[in-house]
């Protein structure tokens, strides 16, 4: 049968020649200057990116890390002690006799009355010309206008929730004169009773409230250092416990021989009505409530 022309159902076969293209690419190699230019551009981009990261606060090496060394236990043959060598009254917890809180609100407690209750427990410390704190006892007569006013030795009180129950505790201070010591007390209310949960007497540079802690800073006999003591509420003991006792460098070089490293045997103190950090006498220690 003769063919009259190309069959329309038959498509022509197109031959692809990849070998030709590949050979063409191989015949036009990239010159060395071109390669060097491309590499230089990439290096410049990388350097720019690294510089930008550094400017944006990128990570920097802190140097080699010191190898952790476990502590060496000394004298393992010694029998561990089961009780303290000295009784220093680590847990202070005592209801204040003669002071009630009918409504359960510690703001209703008169701080001057609480201080007078403490003084009445040891009158020999406050009454008479030979009393250790005779000046404090004498100036209590100037407290009719309230704590933190005039020459009253009872300082302005502070209120802060230190136990986490949503109710404020009372942090109270009063000066022990004629010396340079200040008494610091903390009170809470339990079943309409005023309960003292912390007591400390010392030469004080500053008093701070932070979270559930009371921090007291005191000068050291070592020039340029101070003591930092921290009491924190303990739910098990239901009292403020001394959780930190450290000696820190301050950068100053002043000596103060009035450091008293042991707590006072007194157990009671006095609150006041002001919930603001203002008030107090010019000689009172600094107090902050962060």
């Amino acid at each position: 049968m003769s063919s009259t022309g190309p069959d329309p159902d038959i498509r022509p076969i197109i031959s692809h020649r990849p070998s030709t293209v590949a050979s063409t690419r191989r015949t036009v190699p990239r010159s060395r200057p071109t390669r060097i230019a491309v590499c230089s551009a990439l290096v410049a981009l990388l350097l720019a990116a690294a510089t930008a990261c550094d400017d944006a606060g990128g990570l920097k090496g802190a140097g080699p890390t010191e190898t952790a060394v476990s502590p060496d236990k000394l004298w393992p043959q010694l029998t561990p002690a089961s009780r303290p060598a000295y009784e220093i009254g680590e847990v202070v917890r005592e209801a204040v006799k003669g002071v009630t809180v009918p409504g359960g609100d510690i703001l209703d407690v008169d701080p001057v009355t609480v201080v007078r209750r403490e003084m009445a427990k040891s009158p020999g410390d406050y009454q008479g010309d030979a009393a250790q704190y005779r000046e404090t006892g004498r100036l209590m007569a100037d407290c009719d206008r309230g704590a933190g006013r005039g020459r009253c030795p009872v300082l302005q009180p502070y209120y802060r929730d230190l136990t986490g129950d949503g109710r404020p505790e009372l942090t109270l201070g009063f000066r022990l004169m004629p010396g340079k010591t200040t008494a610091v007390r903390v009170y809470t209310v339990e079943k309409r009773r005023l309960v003292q949960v912390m007591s400390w007497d010392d030469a004080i540079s500053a008093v701070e409230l932070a979270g559930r802690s009371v921090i007291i800073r005191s000068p050291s006999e070592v020039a340029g250092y101070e003591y930092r003591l921290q009491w924190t509420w303990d739910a098990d003991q239901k009292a403020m416990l001394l959780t930190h006792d450290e000696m820190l460098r301050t950068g100053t070089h002043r000596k103060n021989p009035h450091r008293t490293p042991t707590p006072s045997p007194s157990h009671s103190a006095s609150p006041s009505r002001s919930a603001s950090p203002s008030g107090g006498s010019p000689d009172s220690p600094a107090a902050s409530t962060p």
Side-chain angles (χ1 to χ4, degrees), residues 158-264:
Y158 289 79
Y159 296 92
R160 172 77 69 87
D161 179 11
L162 298 174
T163 64
D165 63 356
R167 299 181 303 173
E169 274 62 51
L170 166 65
T171 302
L172 177 70
F174 59 97
R175 293 171 292 159
L176 298 172
M177 299 178 290
K180 300 294 185 181
T181 306
T182 301
V184 179
R185 310 285 189 260
V186 175
Y187 297 89
T188 190
V189 174
E190 293 182 4
K191 298 179 180 179
R192 300 183 179 181
R193 298 182 308 164
L194 186 68
V195 180
Q196 185 184 95
V197 293
M198 180 236 168
S199 173
W200 188 259
D201 297 351
D202 209 340
I204 288 177
S205 302
V207 180
E208 302 167 348
L209 298 179
R212 298 183 183 180
S213 298
V214 177
I215 300 170
I216 296 179
R217 299 179 184 273
S218 301
S220 166
E221 63 272 15
V222 181
Y225 289 82
E226 71 173 5
Y227 292 98
R228 181 187 182 276
L229 291 83
Q230 177 175 326
W231 284 261
T232 303
W233 173 255
D234 185 275
D236 293 331
Q237 297 296 325
K238 294 185 178 181
M240 306 289 291
L241 299 185
L242 180 59
T243 53
H244 294 78
D245 184 352
E246 53 190 347
M247 190 175 185
L248 302 176
R249 186 168 183 83
T250 62
T252 59
H253 298 281
R254 294 180 300 173
K255 286 189 176 183
N256 192 316
H258 299 291
R259 166 71 184 166
T260 34
T262 57
S264 167

Side-chain angles (χ1 to χ4, degrees), residues 39-125:
C39 291
S40 300
L42 290 174
V43 171
L45 288 174
L46 290 174
L47 288 176
T51 303
C53 290
D54 185 65
D55 291 342
L59 296 178
K60 294 182 179 180
T65 302
E66 294 184 3
T67 303
V69 180
S70 61
D72 294 326
K73 186 175 182 179
L74 307 185
W75 308 302
Q77 71 276 14
L78 291 179
T79 302
S82 59
R83 58 188 303 174
Y86 309 100
E87 296 290 340
I88 61 173
E90 292 176 312
V91 178
V92 175
R93 178 178 167 79
E94 181 181 2
V96 180
K97 295 181 179 180
V99 178
T100 59
V101 192
D105 189 352
I106 203 168
L107 297 176
D108 294 333
V109 177
D110 180 14
V112 175
T113 298
V114 179
V115 172
R116 284 177 172 154
R117 290 290 180 183
E118 176 170 340
M119 294 172 60
K121 293 172 55 178
S122 54
D125 290 340

Side-chain angles (χ1 to χ4, degrees), residues 15-68:
S15 174
H16 296 282
R17 304 182 59 110
S19 59
T20 305
V21 176
S23 62
T24 303
R25 289 176 180 172
R26 284 197 296 268
T27 59
V28 188
R30 182 175 296 173
S31 65
R32 184 176 298 274
T34 302
R35 293 177 183 176
I36 294 175
V38 171
C39 291
S40 300
L42 290 174
V43 171
L45 288 174
L46 290 174
L47 288 176
T51 303
C53 290
D54 185 65
D55 291 342
L59 296 178
K60 294 182 179 180
T65 302
E66 294 184 3
T67 303

